[in-house]
Amino acid sequence: MNTPNAKLRAVRMGLLMSQDDMARALREAGASAGEPNDANKRLVQRWEGGTTAAPRPVYARALERVTGLPIDALGFAAPLTLASVQSDGHGGHDLEPSTATAPSSTTPAAQTATRTQNGNYSGIWLSHYEFFSSGRANTFTGKHYVVLLQHGNKLTVRSLPGASLNPNSPLTMDLTLDGNVVTGTWVEETASEGYYAGARYHGAIQMLIEPTGRRMVGKWLGFGKEFDVNTGPWTLEFKDANTNKAALEKWNIQPEA
């Protein structure tokens, strides 16, 4: 049995909009943002009735623009929570259990609802991960502006040459898309003049795509210098849909710390 989305209905009524009004506003919001959509009264009815559990990313973004609220406040999937890393007391590190939250969008029903609703994720993204350095007894951040190219359900990620927080540390990722789940591998070559002296690190990664399609959140897995297996949070945040020469030049800069 479908569970009605009472939150979305309440927000719509609070805006003094009929279902037709909401659909019209969604189309206008999409057009003004350069993301045209085909919202109609029947679609709004399916959302409010719970027949459609998760809107496509283009509709999720339009809903946020029209209502001024984040998508999780509209009765859809909850946002993904980024965990933090801590020392495990043995030279490595792991996620802090109290902050590792499992979002409702990981349920099989939610995955099925979104399996065929993903758009194309090609573009420029900001990659951001955290790791704990046992040698320095502190948590550090790695950031890169990356080019993501999608071919079917395959995502290829490559950092721009001058766009890493730690210079001369190129990052690559090879991912597979399955509904709102992204799984694959990562490789980073550390700078020869840096703390890790040109070491090559690699491992596995799995992330979940938020309903707007503008953020992926998950965890990495990889080995440490003590040959233990560590893990930590990793996010990809969308920045630009263009991958032309001008866009690559624009984002080929060092991310802010």
Side-chain angles (χ1 to χ4, degrees), residues 42-257:
R42 179 56 184 153
L43 179 60
V44 177
Q45 289 175 335
R46 290 200 299 270
W47 290 336
E48 293 187 357
T51 304
T52 300
R56 289 168 51 193
V58 66
Y59 290 117
R61 294 190 290 272
L63 280 164
E64 289 191 337
R65 295 186 193 104
V66 170
T67 64
L69 297 171
I71 196 67
D72 59 289
L74 300 177
F76 296 111
L80 309 179
T81 301
L82 189 64
S84 59
V85 292
Q86 62 177 359
S87 170
D88 62 7
H90 303 287
H93 60 275
D94 208 332
L95 292 181
E96 186 174 344
S98 62
T99 58
T101 303
S104 61
S105 58
T106 59
T107 63
Q111 291 183 15
T112 300
T114 59
R115 187 170 300 281
T116 60
Q117 295 181 356
N118 297 303
N120 190 295
Y121 298 107
S122 294
I124 309 295
W125 294 67
L126 174 62
S127 168
H128 175 188
Y129 66 83
E130 292 183 7
F131 67 98
F132 184 85
S133 171
S134 57
R136 292 173 285 179
N138 205 350
T139 298
F140 293 88
T141 296
K143 290 185 179 181
H144 300 76
Y145 285 118
V146 299
V147 180
L148 187 156
L149 298 177
Q150 180 175 351
H151 302 282
N153 70 333
K154 301 298 182 182
L155 307 179
T156 300
V157 179
R158 300 291 183 268
S159 62
L160 292 166
S164 59
L165 184 60
N166 301 309
N168 303 317
S169 299
L171 170 72
T172 64
M173 303 167 72
D174 293 295
L175 310 170
T176 299
L177 178 67
D178 182 14
N180 65 331
V181 181
V182 174
T183 306
T185 59
W186 60 271
V187 177
E188 184 172 4
E189 306 275 352
T190 63
S192 58
E193 67 277 15
Y195 179 82
Y196 293 101
R200 180 179 183 270
Y201 288 97
H202 57 88
I205 185 170
Q206 189 164 66
M207 295 184 288
L208 297 167
I209 305 174
E210 288 192 336
T212 60
R214 291 299 190 248
R215 192 164 179 258
M216 305 181 192
V217 178
K219 304 172 186 176
W220 60 266
L221 192 73
F223 65 91
K225 67 179 182 179
E226 303 296 333
F227 295 101
D228 53 355
V229 177
N230 299 317
T231 187
W234 201 318
T235 65
L236 288 174
E237 296 182 4
F238 177 81
K239 294 298 179 180
D240 196 325
N242 295 309
T243 56
N244 54 29
K245 183 179 179 180
L248 298 182
E249 291 176 349
K250 174 184 176 181
W251 294 102
N252 190 28
I253 57 175
Q254 187 178 40
E256 294 183 1

Side-chain angles (χ1 to χ4, degrees), residues 8 11-12 14-15 17-19 21-33 37 39 44 47 58-70 74:
L8 179 61
V11 169
R12 174 180 60 78
L15 293 172
M17 286 184 174
S18 67
Q19 292 175 334
D21 293 334
M22 173 68 80
R24 186 180 308 109
L26 292 173
R27 293 194 301 270
E28 292 173 352
S32 65
N37 63 67
V44 177
W47 290 336
V58 66
Y59 290 117
R61 294 190 290 272
L63 280 164
E64 289 191 337
R65 295 186 193 104
V66 170
T67 64
L69 297 171
L74 300 177

